[in-house]
Amino acid sequence: FESGIGPWPGLEERFLQVMNAFLQGATSDALFTALLPRERSEVLLWGQGEQRSIRRDCLHEVFEKQAIKWSDSVALWDERCTKSMTYCELDRQSNELAIELQ
């Protein structure tokens, strides 16, 4: 398994073990100790180093930007693929609905 921070063999199995402990009501301390020593070291390093800024855009703003970027691309289609709607059309209709709901 290749994670965003480098190779991490057996991550899937370890993840399932930790999730099972969580589902059985383990505390966060118990979940942390359920990790192998190497895994605990990796987790402790996650918050160090270069920090990325978090975008504070609202969901509708992100969608509007994507609708402009991909205006003619298909955003939705029905199960039989007989009808479709582009991002531009979806954005227009969602704006109309938002105005109606105000």
Side-chain angles (χ1 to χ4, degrees), residues 39-76:
E39 294 167 335
R40 282 195 292 272
S41 299
E42 290 283 339
V43 170
L44 291 173
L45 291 174
W46 286 352
Q48 299 176 4
E50 182 181 339
Q51 301 292 316
R52 296 184 201 170
S53 62
I54 298 173
R55 294 181 61 176
R56 301 283 181 200
D57 296 340
C58 294
L59 180 59
H60 73 280
E61 294 169 332
V62 173
F63 183 82
E64 287 171 353
K65 289 176 186 175
Q66 290 300 313
I68 291 168
K69 184 175 180 180
W70 303 100
S71 62
D72 294 328
S73 298
V74 174
L76 299 172

Side-chain angles (χ1 to χ4, degrees), residues 89-102:
E89 293 169 316
L90 180 59
D91 186 46
R92 182 183 51 75
Q93 287 192 17
S94 64
N95 286 334
E96 288 176 9
L97 177 61
I99 290 168
E100 288 288 324
L101 294 174
Q102 287 181 343

Side-chain angles (χ1 to χ4, degrees), residues 13-26:
E13 294 83 16
R14 298 295 300 137
F15 176 76
L16 291 174
Q17 290 174 343
V18 172
M19 287 307 297
N20 282 331
F22 172 76
L23 292 173
Q24 293 173 8

